[in-house]
Amino acid sequence: MTAFSHLPNPPVVRVGVIGVGLIGQDHIRRITQVLTGGAVVAVNDVDAARAGQVAAGLPGATVHATAADLIADTGVDAVLVASWGPAHEEQVLAAIAAGKPVFCEKPLAPSSEACLRIMDAELAAGRRLVQVGFMRRYDAGYLAMKAALEDGSIGVPLLMHCAHRNPQVPPYGFTTDMIISDSAVHEIDLVRWLFGEEIVAASVLVPRRSGQAPAGMQDPLILLLEMANGALVDDEVFLNAQYGYDVRGEVVGETGTVALADVSEVTVRAAGRYGGRIPVDWRDRFIRAYDAELQDWLTAVAAGASTGPSAWDGYAAAAVTDSALAALRTGQRTAVTMPERPDFYAKAD
Ligand code: NAD
Ligand code: ISE
């Protein structure tokens, strides 16, 4: 439901998608088949053949030769950036310069300096134009966990244990650093949102290396994140875990704990054993969260203002990522340095 869907002809946000790989195509599917209030009218990809194939399934959609052309297209109301991380800054800045709302997949940009430039551009524009794809904030399990923390069910939260396991890294160019900047960035954002606190320091532990990891990649890693209030988060990030896509989380409080439940639809008990289904990948595990975040974005864009995870959130996650990467290189606990959050980004989550 959008704010306008009760009207006979609700306004449709005309979306241009930059980067039509795995998640770009998945977001196109949800905008065209699942959500209300959006239409995909243009696509661009550096892989022109892929852009053409995807557009072939979108009647009337334009294929633009460059991201800049797509952003300048007067038939495009809002831009969805699902290209590779290093391309995000230029594309998001161009959307801001054109005054168009932009949903950018995580990471907002690969460095905190780049994220600051995006924030500065949005501040200069004077209105929220950027939403970052931190979809875990929309996951029913994490929302229930946050509610339990806020209603005092487990007392003061002291610790959180996280695990983030993918069956394999993608076959192209995934590096050890990306285990932090591309994968752990989800927990980095999540715990800031969950606890309503910034992360003040990061350490990285390097366990025995899995022989299933591609040559040269140190996998798994364990991050230790220190929250401003002293709570401590450990995050096992293991991207070649083979057996499935498994995301876990448990907060330990003074009087109880709250943990994500297993997500299998059913548990089968038979022949003296019991078991359930493990998601195959992130598209499967977080399908409803992605639906909710993009519906939220379309609704907000139709209403004239972006909401959801902001450029500040993208920046803060990148600042922690920078510290964690430094900790990985040096083996030392590394403090996170960032300025005060500008009032412009003050909001209740
Ligand atoms: P992918 O490689 O499957 O797709 C990326 C696409 O972008 C490719 O088709 C590539 O040709 C295109 N591309 C790259 N640079 C471009 C540029 N400068 N201009 C136009 N197109 C360009 O990768 P993916 O898995 O779809 O990931 C894309 C982005 O989404 C990444 O930032 C990734 O971190 C993020 N992502 C987020 C989630 C999530 O859970 N929120 C999950 C997967 C990926
Ligand atoms: C991928 O880019 C995602 O964002 C997924 O949510 C995450 O689980 C995976 O590790 C990343 O590579």
Side-chain angles (χ1 to χ4, degrees):
M1 287 280 286
T2 73
F4 300 96
S5 54
H6 61 291
L7 299 174
N9 293 304
V12 168
V13 177
R14 297 169 300 173
V15 179
V17 179
I18 301 173
V20 292
L22 282 180
I23 202 160
Q25 291 182 39
D26 202 37
H27 285 333
I28 288 172
R29 175 193 60 75
R30 59 176 43 87
I31 291 172
T32 55
Q33 298 176 28
V34 182
L35 309 181
T36 58
V40 178
V41 298
V43 296
N44 158 259
D45 198 296
V46 285
D47 182 339
R50 178 176 285 172
Q53 281 159 13
V54 170
L58 297 167
T62 308
V63 180
H64 284 289
T66 68
D69 289 347
L70 179 144
I71 293 164
D73 182 341
T74 52
V76 168
D77 301 319
V79 179
L80 191 159
V81 173
S83 54
W84 294 320
H88 291 181
E89 179 188 2
E90 185 181 349
Q91 294 165 352
V92 173
L93 286 174
I96 294 172
K100 296 192 179 182
V102 52
F103 177 96
C104 181
E105 263 308 333
K106 43 61 53 177
L108 176 57
S111 72
S112 56
E113 290 80 10
C115 293
L116 265 183
R117 288 190 285 272
I118 291 172
M119 250 174 58
D120 286 346
E122 190 178 44
L123 284 165
R127 65 188 177 108
R128 281 276 319 266
L129 288 166
V130 179
Q131 178 170 329
V132 183
F134 287 131
M135 79 298 179
R136 291 198 190 180
R137 296 179 179 214
Y138 295 85
D139 175 69
Y142 284 125
L143 283 163
M145 182 179 272
K146 186 167 170 64
L149 295 183
E150 288 173 356
D151 72 14
S153 301
I154 66 161
V156 175
L158 308 173
L159 299 170
M160 181 168 185
H161 306 296
C162 302
H164 181 159
R165 302 184 190 133
N166 289 218
Q168 294 93 24
V169 285
Y172 51 80
F174 208 93
T175 62
T176 305
D177 280 3
M178 287 171 76
I179 296 177
I180 294 174
S181 62
D182 213 63
S183 298
V185 71
H186 280 293
E187 280 83 20
I188 289 170
D189 177 68
L190 175 82
V191 299
R192 294 182 55 251
W193 167 78
L194 204 53
F195 293 114
E197 294 273 339
E198 293 299 349
I199 296 166
V200 295
S203 309
V204 178
L205 303 179
V206 179
R208 184 176 184 180
R209 178 181 173 278
S210 166
Q212 304 294 328
M217 178 181 292
Q218 169 56 50
D219 185 36
L221 294 175
I222 295 179
L223 274 63
L224 289 175
L225 305 173
E226 297 171 37
M227 309 305 300
N229 64 5
L232 195 59
V233 176
D234 59 83
D235 185 19
E236 171 210 314
V237 198
F238 184 14
L239 291 201
N240 296 276
Q242 308 296 309
Y243 71 90
Y245 184 81
D246 199 6
V247 167
R248 292 160 181 250
E250 180 184 34
V251 180
V252 179
E254 279 181 341
T255 59
T257 72
V258 55
L260 292 179
D262 284 335
V263 293
S264 180
E265 296 78 5
V266 291
T267 305
V268 176
R269 292 165 192 267
R273 306 178 71 82
Y274 68 89
R277 189 180 76 86
I278 299 173
V280 292
D281 64 14
W282 37 270
R283 286 172 294 191
D284 178 13
R285 166 64 179 83
F286 287 111
I287 187 167
R288 298 286 161 246
Y290 295 117
D291 289 350
E293 71 166 354
L294 269 197
Q295 186 64 75
D296 189 39
W297 181 62
L298 290 172
T299 303
V301 169
S306 287
T307 53
S310 67
W312 165 258
D313 296 313
Y315 163 71
V320 178
T321 298
D322 286 353
S323 296
L325 289 171
L328 174 65
R329 277 191 294 278
T330 62
Q332 303 295 311
R333 170 188 182 276
T334 306
V336 177
T337 49
M338 59 171 122
E340 286 290 303
R341 178 173 68 178
D343 289 344
F344 180 82
Y345 292 107
K347 62 164 172 48
D349 285 313

